[in-house]
Amino acid sequence: MSHVRKKMVAGNWKMNGNRALLEQFKQHLIVPDNTDVVLCPPAVYLANAVGSHYKVGAQNISEHEKGAHTGDISCSMLNDLAVHYVILGHSERRQDHNESNELVAQKVKCALNAGLTPIFCIGEPLEVRESGEVFAFVQAQIDAVVNICGNEFFEKAVIAYEPIWAIGTGKTASPEQAQEVHAFIRTHLSKTNSDAQKMQILYGGSVNADNAAELFAQADIDGGLIGGASLKVDDFNIICQAAG
Ligand code: 13P
């Protein structure tokens, strides 16, 4: 049985942007009907970003509830600001900060316990793609979360498939390549929970105003997690429209 899933477009600003850019988005970002549009600016801008017509997400949280963790941000602080989403397991955090599958799973658990919606990122490096082990690789990333959070974690989470070789490279996965992995993810989770049919699975990696519509038209691609093209409001609007 097929389900109608709401589309989502999330903009991951990474360590880019400033207050002036945020003002542009507040004024000019168009949120289509039936589409969740989420802006994820750097943490220092979250307080400024909330309270507008789009949803807001953070780019990271601590796996701890509170305490002596200089520089970290807790789930309850995001709740305090009415930030509803958090990107977790992004490949840049896995690489730059040595975040393991297990640490990412702990963070997903913290977010779920706090009522935040994780945008849980998975995706393979080029050598894994070339060796033909993509499914096993993403399955291990997912199963690490299932082991800690249970197989219903995705009922309250969004998954983002972002092949590392496509991030920031201008080299997007073809719609067929992305669809194949999305279908695998949904089928894998459906084995133990039929609600996987309702889960939003986003594609990320060099999505832009020109290629978004074709990617979002695939059966198991429910929108996108956008990096570079989420820093220009006109481009981002086109991408949001492609989902709506
Ligand atoms: P780009 O859209 O810049 O390739 O980045 C994708 C990404 O990493 C979003 O989280």
Side-chain angles (χ1 to χ4, degrees):
M1 193 175 115
S2 71
H3 288 265
V4 178
R5 291 180 294 270
K6 197 172 179 185
K7 288 274 202 278
M8 174 183 289
V9 178
N12 176 9
W13 281 14
K14 309 190 179 183
M15 199 171 72
N16 297 299
N18 51 31
R19 283 205 295 189
L21 188 68
L22 194 53
E23 281 314 310
Q24 277 184 32
F25 273 74
K26 283 187 186 178
Q27 285 177 31
H28 302 298
L29 177 61
I30 300 162
V31 175
D33 289 343
N34 298 321
T35 305
D36 293 319
V37 174
V38 185
L39 217 57
C40 304
V44 291
Y45 299 119
L46 288 171
N48 249 320
V50 294
S52 204
H53 58 302
Y54 48 79
K55 297 178 180 175
V56 176
Q59 297 177 14
N60 182 38
I61 47 165
S62 170
E63 71 277 24
H64 303 289
E65 254 177 58
K66 63 176 181 176
H69 304 288
T70 302
D72 278 348
I73 291 170
S74 73
C75 290
S76 63
M77 292 168 189
L78 297 183
N79 279 329
D80 205 14
L81 287 187
V83 170
H84 296 304
Y85 292 85
V86 58
I87 296 171
L88 292 173
H90 194 282
S91 60
E92 288 152 17
R93 289 210 61 87
R94 292 178 190 263
Q95 271 166 16
D96 297 354
H97 300 275
N98 290 324
E99 292 198 5
S100 63
N101 278 347
E102 290 65 36
L103 177 63
V104 172
Q106 287 295 347
K107 291 186 176 194
V108 170
K109 187 175 178 189
C110 280
L112 291 172
N113 286 345
L116 295 165
T117 301
I119 301 175
F120 166 55
C121 302
I122 57 177
E124 80 286 356
L126 187 59
E127 58 272 21
V128 170
R129 163 75 44 185
E130 286 174 344
S131 69
E133 302 292 324
V134 176
F135 292 170
F137 190 89
V138 297
Q139 181 173 328
Q141 291 180 317
I142 293 170
D143 287 352
V145 177
V146 172
N147 287 341
I148 288 186
C149 302
N151 75 348
E152 64 290 346
F153 87 91
F154 55 82
E155 292 170 18
K156 298 199 172 74
V158 175
I159 292 186
Y161 170 59
E162 300 203 307
I164 296 171
W165 47 271
I167 294 177
T169 57
K171 194 179 163 199
T172 181
S174 69
E176 295 74 25
Q177 280 175 322
Q179 164 59 25
E180 186 186 34
V181 181
H182 283 228
F184 169 78
I185 295 164
R186 200 180 303 285
T187 304
H188 175 60
L189 287 169
S190 297
K191 282 182 203 150
T192 49
N193 190 330
S194 59
D195 278 347
Q197 294 300 328
K198 299 183 200 156
M199 166 182 58
Q200 289 167 313
I201 309 179
L202 312 183
Y203 169 76
S206 299
V207 179
N208 58 40
D210 295 328
N211 62 23
E214 202 186 354
L215 285 159
F216 298 169
Q218 302 299 309
D220 288 289
I221 300 184
D222 305 310
L225 180 56
I226 320 299
S230 73
L231 295 167
K232 295 181 194 137
V233 71
D234 291 344
D235 287 7
F236 196 61
N237 274 336
I238 295 171
I239 295 169
C240 291
Q241 256 162 28

